[in-house]
Amino acid sequence: MATESFMLRFFWGPREEGPESMAARLCRFLNRLGRLDPLFKSWQQYQKSSGEMKPVRRTKSDLSALCAKGIMRSNIPPYPPLPGGGHFTVNIETKATWVLPLTVFCGSFSENLQNRVILTLPIADEEFRRICNVSVLEELVRAAVESWDPDVGQIWSPVLADSLMVPMDAIEVGWLTYVSKRIMRVPELPASIRV
């Protein structure tokens, strides 16, 4: 049984996007995940009004409505959207053996806020063996890169992060790491590292 936890974490800078654009990206991402493993086929979201979980359909129209509801607003009437972009936040989770939360924060064009997508991965049992292997993790990274066009990202774990002690202003690395060409070119690497 595994004891280390893993996450898919991808980040990008200011990018103004509306609910339709975010929904298209989210739809592409969820459908790619659904083709990777049955664990990622069913998603649900907590409903504050009823206190129940409601299924989330992987269609652009349903996801667009979900993204529009997730716009961050001021808590002062008449509750306008916060300045600096859409700030769409979507929190959904798998409806399977494992509850794996997926958090998306998107649409911000503020220099002070980082757009991101974060997915917790299973940590034990059959699902861990199916998903936390190199070939599936590589496909998860590809799905994130092709869906969200991030600047940086990784398959991350707190154990690895603690052991590496990456400086605050450096790019954090993970078991698999992605860095966009917009950020930096790949330096000369030892032969043991595969790019």
Side-chain angles (χ1 to χ4, degrees):
M1 180 168 169
T3 57
E4 187 172 4
S5 60
F6 297 91
M7 300 173 104
L8 175 138
R9 304 182 334 159
F10 281 79
F11 306 92
W12 57 99
R15 184 189 304 152
E16 185 174 1
E17 290 187 276
E20 295 81 18
S21 174
M22 181 183 171
R25 290 179 184 279
L26 183 57
C27 187
R28 186 178 316 125
F29 186 59
L30 293 179
N31 286 322
R32 292 261 321 249
L33 294 183
R35 289 191 295 273
L36 271 176
D37 192 89
L39 184 61
F40 299 124
K41 286 188 183 289
S42 297
W43 296 87
Q44 57 189 2
Q45 184 181 47
Y46 178 74
Q47 305 295 304
K48 288 181 186 175
S49 57
S50 65
E52 297 177 354
M53 300 301 287
K54 179 183 175 188
V56 173
R57 292 179 19 175
R58 293 179 292 157
T59 66
K60 285 183 187 174
S61 61
D62 287 327
L63 293 173
S64 183
L66 184 69
C67 293
K69 280 180 22 183
I71 191 167
M72 295 179 72
R73 297 181 174 276
S74 166
N75 57 1
I76 302 168
Y79 311 108
L82 292 174
H87 309 312
F88 301 98
T89 301
V90 172
N91 292 297
I92 58 178
E93 58 189 42
T94 55
K95 184 184 176 185
T97 308
W98 283 90
V99 174
L100 303 176
L102 170 67
T103 301
V104 179
F105 180 83
C106 185
S108 172
F109 52 92
S110 167
E111 292 289 339
N112 301 322
L113 298 169
Q114 196 171 41
N115 293 296
R116 61 194 167 272
V117 59
I118 298 174
L119 172 65
T120 301
L121 299 174
I123 60 170
D125 303 325
E126 179 186 337
E127 288 86 356
F128 171 81
R129 287 188 293 277
R130 278 198 330 257
I131 292 169
C132 293
N133 70 66
V134 174
S135 62
V136 175
L137 292 175
E138 284 177 342
E139 287 304 312
L140 282 172
V141 168
R142 279 190 192 91
V145 169
E146 292 170 10
S147 300
W148 300 102
D149 188 24
D151 293 329
V152 296
Q154 60 277 131
I155 300 295
W156 180 88
S157 77
V159 171
L160 179 62
D162 289 347
S163 68
L164 295 176
M165 296 185 299
V166 177
M168 289 294 288
D169 59 343
I171 293 173
E172 194 157 11
V173 296
W175 293 108
L176 294 174
T177 302
Y178 169 81
V179 179
S180 168
K181 290 178 184 175
R182 293 186 300 265
I183 303 301
M184 67 179 279
R185 296 204 179 274
V186 178
E188 289 292 323
L189 298 169
S192 61
I193 297 176
R194 182 163 52 102
V195 177

